[in-house]
């Protein structure tokens, strides 16, 4: 990938947040310091970064994409009420990719597991 100042800014903004933002949310964050950037630029660069495996992308049940700078193995939990995304450690279960390959011989290259439910914040409200 060719170096781009704007892509660098997008990646930096994604690194600085833990909320797994959508493109629109990230766009709003970047505009504070970079008012000339366009939403189309943010979209294009996020997709490019995801295609190159530099960031992760997954869609919620409304089909809206969220982005994550953390590419190591972990799962996500998304709250059905507030739509907040939480990181879930994958150490609570044996590596599903290894289990699948042992059982079926299929070679897993990547996987995305998304849990849906109610977060503790919404449960108490
Ligand atoms: Zn919630
Ligand atoms: Zn994550």
């Amino acid at each position: 990938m060719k170096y781009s100042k704007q892509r660098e800014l997008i990646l930096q903004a994604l690194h600085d947040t833990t909320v797994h933002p959508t493109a629109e949310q990230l766009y709003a964050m970047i505009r504070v310091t970079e008012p000339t950037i366009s939403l189309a630029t943010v979209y294009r660069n996020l997709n490019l970064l995801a295609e190159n495996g530099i960031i992760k992308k997954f869609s919620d049940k409304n089909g809206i994409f969220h982005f994550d700078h953390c590419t190591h193995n972990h799962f996500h939990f998304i709250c059905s009420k507030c739509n907040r995304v939480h990181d879930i450690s994958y150490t609570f279960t044996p590596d599903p990719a290894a289990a699948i390959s042992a059982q079926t011989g299929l070679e897993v290259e990547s996987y995305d597991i998304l849990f849906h439910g109610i977060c503790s914040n919404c449960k108490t409200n």
Side-chain angles (χ1 to χ4, degrees), residues 83-119:
N83 232 20
R84 254 188 221 121
V85 181
H86 299 257
D87 281 328
I88 308 282
S89 158
Y90 80 111
T91 54
F92 71 95
T93 170
D95 185 1
I100 287 167
S101 127
Q103 271 181 34
T104 64
L106 298 168
E107 192 186 316
V108 177
E109 289 180 327
S110 71
Y111 54 85
D112 244 321
I113 297 179
L114 186 57
F115 297 97
H116 298 273
I118 308 289
C119 75

Side-chain angles (χ1 to χ4, degrees), residues 18 20 56 58 68-70 74-76 85-88:
T18 55
H20 301 75
K56 269 188 168 211
F58 59 92
D68 190 356
H69 68 85
C70 188
H74 65 286
F75 305 130
H76 289 118
V85 181
H86 299 257
D87 281 328
I88 308 282

Side-chain angles (χ1 to χ4, degrees), residues 79 82 119 122:
C79 177
C82 66
C119 75
C122 290

Side-chain angles (χ1 to χ4, degrees), residues 22-65:
T22 63
E24 279 87 357
Q25 285 170 336
L26 201 64
Y27 170 61
M29 293 173 199
I30 298 167
R31 270 187 66 188
V32 176
T33 51
E34 195 70 15
T36 58
I37 203 160
S38 72
L39 180 57
T41 301
V42 174
Y43 263 117
R44 196 179 53 242
N45 280 287
L46 282 172
N47 284 322
L48 204 62
L49 288 163
E51 277 163 27
N52 282 275
I54 296 164
I55 61 171
K56 269 188 168 211
K57 139 178 171 178
F58 59 92
S59 68
D60 62 27
K61 65 177 178 191
N62 302 316
I64 295 166
F65 285 109

